[in-house]
Amino acid sequence: MKAIVQTDPQERRSLELREVEVPKLRSGEVLVKVQAAGVNRGDILQTMGAYPPPPGASEILGLEAAGTIADAGDTNWEVGTEVGCLLAGGGYAEYVAVPQGQLLPVPEGFSVEETAAVVEVGCTVWSNLGIEAGLHEGQRILIHGGGGGVGTFAIQVAKALGAEVAVTAGSQEKLDRCRELGADILINYKEHDFVEELKGSCDVILDIIGAKYLEKNMKCLAKDGKLIIIGMQGGTKAEINLGAMLPKRLTIQGTTLRARDLEDKAQIVAGTVENVWPMLEDGRVKHALHATYPLADAAQAHTALDSGEVTGTLVLTV
Amino acid sequence: MKAIVQTDPQERRSLELREVEVPKLRSGEVLVKVQAAGVNRGDILQTMGAYPPPPGASEILGLEAAGTIADAGDTNWEVGTEVGCLLAGGGYAEYVAVPQGQLLPVPEGFSVEETAAVVEVGCTVWSNLGIEAGLHEGQRILIHGGGGGVGTFAIQVAKALGAEVAVTAGSQEKLDRCRELGADILINYKEHDFVEELKGSCDVILDIIGAKYLEKNMKCLAKDGKLIIIGMQGGTKAEINLGAMLPKRLTIQGTTLRARDLEDKAQIVAGTVENVWPMLEDGRVKHALHATYPLADAAQAHTALDSGEVTGTLVLTV
């Protein structure tokens, strides 16, 4: 089969379509003929050596895909079924082996390309907001980077769960977008200190900044508040004041999706299908497919994603 | 009624028996005639101004007590029933008002004095090990200060839950005591680096040290591991490496019992009665009443607790 291979580990754009072996199925896995593969920031990090595949996972890029089942292996799935796939790797290829717990139906009204664009963000947002934070009606959540891919999706899921949503973003344009998606409190972090506006009021914070925001985030949390860190664009090392944690019983959690075990992923996928897929199908949550590129042009797609001009997900088509 | 009053806020041993008003009952509260009140480190901190009562709580010392119901207020409790009480304050007195969700039965085979000694430690350990950590069979827990009041109790509850228990303590004598209580891995922190022995292996850590151990504790956690900080004897400010949290999906939580709301406390008390009381009744968990003092001698009891020579709980009798 054909797949994208990084020919020079030192050169992150050296992504070429090469002939490689079709993956062998392990027990409980199906072979999916890929029609579309989502492009994620994790893929770019992987080309820079910063986000290696977990042990046993494919070395090929690609954390989400959609297509049809070509070989059901020892599972009861039917060959020809259209599916979305949450992957530990391997999506930038004609075929990918997928543990059956990581298969998702195509949401009603969605194309296969649109499905490939929504699996990773859907599972990421559900695992953090739904499973880890247990976000519910009457709570307030602060979402940093409200204008980004995870942010725009998280705003809508949080609103659908009945929460009040505060966001930070760096431009009026992004904040306008957040407002359209339902965000209640809009903060331009370049102009205002979000702590002043939110001090002690947030039940949950979804954070992509890390160290730079740690102290500020802790000040924004209410009693029993939970800070979930899913990215560290603002560095990894910070001073923490544990004395501020105990009286308010704060929790800080760092999470990733890729390195979870099969059981965890199956639970997250099932929860996402049960809770987020209906939100996509009835339009409560919208997610844009920004553009498609032929698989061979993966490098251009990475350059486009790096530009910061992308407002939805990029998809590679096979 | 008579109660212990701190006559000089600057003098932590100025604890005298004075005449004060009997507390008035709010809806859902009962009046308990106190026979015995447990003495806790939190009481000593309160006399130093470091652990003030939460808003609305009694200013009188005392976080746990046992006695008989003298006035059932608007509840269905029966006057004369012997009970233990989890308190936000007020135990060092002849009478205390107690929200009915914080009443516990006297465990079978226990005296009223012994009950007063086991409420606070029982609820503290259950809220952290049972409710927050969800500790279960096959997991490994590290308990710092294994020889202390919370530590000795936590070792036994963790063993009863089927976990493997590692402890740190500062003397062979304390470690021997931990071994008798069931601890599997004994580490004298003065002689050995606990990180070397436990690196990446602990599912749960119950910590009373705080800042000084933060980095070491994070190194000891396994994937999905949870650090629960209930004390900060080693300071409050530390550097944290968030980069170590995400790949292992670590959680850090600070908890206290006293400042929780009524609903939380009722849930903790119910869980403690359901899970820990049977462990006390069948002897899986033992907790020593170290000594009793007359209520008027509260200052001496505090001095004794401060000496570090106490191996169980001290109780004031009325």
Side-chain angles (χ1 to χ4, degrees):
Chain A
M1 70 169 188
K2 294 223 161 28
I4 291 293
V5 172
Q6 182 172 1
T7 54
D8 178 358
Q10 304 304 317
E11 177 42 68
R12 64 203 182 107
R13 296 287 188 261
S14 65
L15 304 177
E16 292 179 19
L17 204 60
R18 292 279 172 93
E19 196 67 31
V20 303
E21 273 188 40
V22 173
K24 285 183 183 54
L25 295 186
R26 287 174 279 207
S27 176
E29 290 184 340
V30 307
L31 191 69
V32 170
K33 184 174 190 324
V34 177
Q35 290 176 40
V39 176
N40 287 278
R41 210 160 289 279
D43 300 329
I44 296 180
L45 290 174
Q46 183 169 336
T47 63
M48 298 160 69
Y51 194 55
S58 168
E59 297 287 324
I60 297 170
L61 296 167
L63 301 171
E64 61 182 337
T68 52
I69 295 180
D71 181 346
D74 59 7
T75 77
N76 293 322
W77 285 80
E78 208 169 304
V79 171
T81 308
E82 287 192 337
V83 289
C85 324
L86 178 68
L87 305 172
Y92 289 20
E94 288 185 302
Y95 293 93
V96 62
V98 188
Q100 61 177 330
Q102 289 159 235
L103 297 172
L104 305 90
V106 172
E108 225 179 278
F110 271 56
S111 69
V112 171
E113 287 79 11
E114 287 168 336
T115 303
V118 83
V119 169
E120 172 77 12
V121 71
C123 291
T124 295
V125 168
W126 184 253
S127 64
N128 288 298
L129 266 54
I131 298 174
E132 300 298 348
L135 187 69
H136 57 78
E137 203 170 336
Q139 290 191 314
R140 176 182 282 184
I141 182 172
L142 166 61
I143 298 169
H144 289 302
V150 170
T152 52
F153 202 95
I155 289 169
Q156 300 174 81
V157 170
K159 289 307 296 178
L161 290 171
E164 185 186 29
V165 176
V167 297
T168 62
S171 73
Q172 191 54 46
E173 195 188 336
K174 283 182 179 171
L175 290 175
D176 289 343
R177 176 92 186 105
C178 293
R179 186 200 307 274
E180 281 164 31
L181 295 173
D184 303 287
I185 301 168
L186 310 159
I187 301 168
N188 186 328
Y189 63 79
K190 291 179 179 162
E191 295 172 1
H192 294 100
D193 178 3
F194 65 86
V195 176
E196 263 174 45
E197 314 206 17
L198 300 172
K199 200 170 178 183
S201 75
C202 300
D203 302 294
V204 178
I205 299 177
L206 186 65
D207 179 54
I208 55 170
I209 303 298
K212 193 176 152 194
Y213 275 5
L214 182 63
E215 191 183 346
K216 286 165 174 268
N217 279 335
M218 286 174 67
K219 286 181 180 163
C220 290
L221 287 176
K223 274 200 179 174
D224 288 310
K226 188 163 196 173
L227 166 62
I228 300 182
I229 302 174
I230 63 170
M232 292 174 297
Q233 298 178 18
T236 58
K237 290 198 176 170
E239 188 180 89
I240 187 170
N241 178 6
L242 301 173
M245 288 186 79
L246 267 68
K248 294 205 286 183
R249 297 186 305 275
L250 306 185
T251 300
I252 303 173
Q253 187 172 18
T255 74
T256 56
L257 183 53
R258 188 182 197 176
R260 288 179 181 261
D261 64 23
L262 290 181
E263 198 182 326
D264 265 16
K265 283 185 183 168
Q267 190 206 345
I268 289 166
V269 163
T272 303
V273 170
E274 187 185 333
N275 296 283
V276 178
W277 260 216
M279 297 177 188
L280 293 172
E281 291 171 346
D282 66 15
R284 276 174 293 163
V285 175
K286 292 178 177 62
H287 185 65
L289 196 170
H290 184 86
T292 63
Y293 292 77
L295 179 58
D297 295 344
Q300 279 113 295
H302 280 204
T303 300
L305 184 57
D306 259 348
S307 73
E309 306 289 309
V310 173
T311 57
T313 300
L314 301 176
V315 164
L316 304 171
T317 55
V318 183
Chain B
M1 71 170 186
K2 292 222 162 26
I4 291 292
V5 172
Q6 183 173 359
T7 54
D8 177 357
Q10 304 303 319
E11 178 41 71
R12 62 202 183 109
R13 296 286 187 263
S14 63
L15 304 178
E16 291 180 21
L17 205 59
R18 292 279 171 94
E19 196 67 28
V20 302
E21 275 190 35
V22 173
K24 284 181 183 53
L25 294 187
R26 287 173 282 207
S27 176
E29 290 184 341
V30 306
L31 191 70
V32 171
K33 184 174 191 326
V34 177
Q35 291 177 38
V39 176
N40 287 279
R41 206 158 292 279
D43 301 328
I44 296 180
L45 290 174
Q46 183 169 336
T47 62
M48 298 160 69
Y51 194 53
S58 168
E59 298 287 324
I60 297 170
L61 296 167
L63 300 170
E64 60 182 338
T68 53
I69 295 181
D71 181 346
D74 59 7
T75 77
N76 294 320
W77 285 81
E78 208 168 307
V79 171
T81 309
E82 287 193 336
V83 289
C85 323
L86 178 68
L87 304 172
Y92 288 21
E94 286 185 304
Y95 292 93
V96 62
V98 189
Q100 61 176 329
Q102 289 159 233
L103 297 171
L104 302 90
V106 172
E108 225 180 278
F110 271 56
S111 68
V112 171
E113 286 79 11
E114 286 168 337
T115 302
V118 84
V119 169
E120 171 77 12
V121 70
C123 291
T124 294
V125 167
W126 184 254
S127 65
N128 287 299
L129 267 53
I131 297 174
E132 300 299 346
L135 188 69
H136 57 78
E137 201 170 338
Q139 290 191 314
R140 175 183 282 184
I141 183 172
L142 166 59
I143 297 169
H144 289 301
V150 171
T152 51
F153 202 94
I155 290 168
Q156 299 173 82
V157 171
K159 289 307 296 178
L161 290 171
E164 185 186 31
V165 177
V167 296
T168 62
S171 73
Q172 190 55 49
E173 195 187 340
K174 284 184 178 171
L175 290 174
D176 288 344
R177 175 90 184 107
C178 294
R179 187 200 308 274
E180 281 166 29
L181 296 173
D184 304 287
I185 302 168
L186 310 159
I187 301 168
N188 186 328
Y189 64 80
K190 291 181 180 161
E191 294 172 2
H192 293 99
D193 177 4
F194 66 85
V195 176
E196 260 174 47
E197 313 205 17
L198 299 172
K199 200 171 176 179
S201 76
C202 299
D203 301 294
V204 178
I205 299 177
L206 186 66
D207 179 52
I208 53 169
I209 302 299
K212 191 175 154 195
Y213 275 5
L214 182 64
E215 189 183 348
K216 286 166 175 265
N217 278 335
M218 286 176 67
K219 287 182 180 164
C220 289
L221 286 175
K223 273 199 180 177
D224 288 309
K226 188 163 197 173
L227 167 60
I228 300 182
I229 302 174
I230 61 171
M232 292 175 295
Q233 298 179 15
T236 59
K237 291 197 174 171
E239 189 180 87
I240 186 170
N241 179 6
L242 301 173
M245 287 186 79
L246 269 67
K248 293 204 287 184
R249 295 187 303 276
L250 306 184
T251 300
I252 302 173
Q253 187 171 16
T255 74
T256 56
L257 182 53
R258 187 182 197 180
R260 287 181 181 259
D261 63 24
L262 290 181
E263 198 183 326
D264 264 18
K265 283 186 181 167
Q267 190 205 346
I268 289 165
V269 163
T272 303
V273 171
E274 186 185 336
N275 295 283
V276 177
W277 260 217
M279 297 176 187
L280 292 172
E281 290 171 345
D282 67 15
R284 277 174 293 163
V285 174
K286 292 177 177 62
H287 184 66
L289 197 170
H290 184 86
T292 62
Y293 293 77
L295 179 59
D297 294 344
Q300 278 113 298
H302 281 204
T303 300
L305 183 56
D306 258 348
S307 73
E309 306 289 310
V310 173
T311 57
T313 298
L314 301 177
V315 164
L316 303 172
T317 53
V318 182

